[in-house]
Amino acid sequence: MKLKVRVVHYREDSWYADIDDADDRQPDDPYWYVAGCRSQAEAIRLACGQLAVLDQAVAAGILLNRISMESVAA
């Protein structure tokens, strides 16, 4: 599985980051996201930390859930 991090500056003072499958052509249902970061560096730091968590899960044989799948399970 190839994951990618996307970081977007969506308002003057806010950054968004998500993690999705690199082959997913419609990035509307990522595996993880965070919004409202105050800087690009904060968004990247948080995303890289979560990417490490997801990497460990995949290495352990755990299937990743997309955000919509988590919402249904909750």
Side-chain angles (χ1 to χ4, degrees):
M1 171 178 265
K2 294 181 181 179
L3 297 176
K4 67 177 179 180
V5 173
R6 179 177 62 145
V7 177
V8 178
H9 191 204
Y10 68 94
R11 282 195 324 233
E12 183 177 326
D13 61 343
S14 295
W15 290 80
Y16 167 94
D18 69 15
I19 297 174
D20 203 355
D21 183 344
D23 296 325
D24 186 6
R25 291 185 169 156
Q26 296 183 356
D28 58 344
D29 192 14
Y31 291 103
W32 174 89
Y33 78 95
V34 65
C37 296
R38 293 187 160 185
S39 68
Q40 182 182 37
E42 179 185 13
I44 291 170
R45 179 179 53 79
L46 292 171
C48 287
Q50 186 62 33
L51 192 59
V53 170
L54 295 174
D55 179 60
Q56 290 175 352
V58 169
I62 298 170
L63 296 177
L64 302 182
N65 289 331
R66 294 186 176 274
I67 296 296
S68 65
M69 295 168 76
E70 292 290 333
S71 299
V72 170

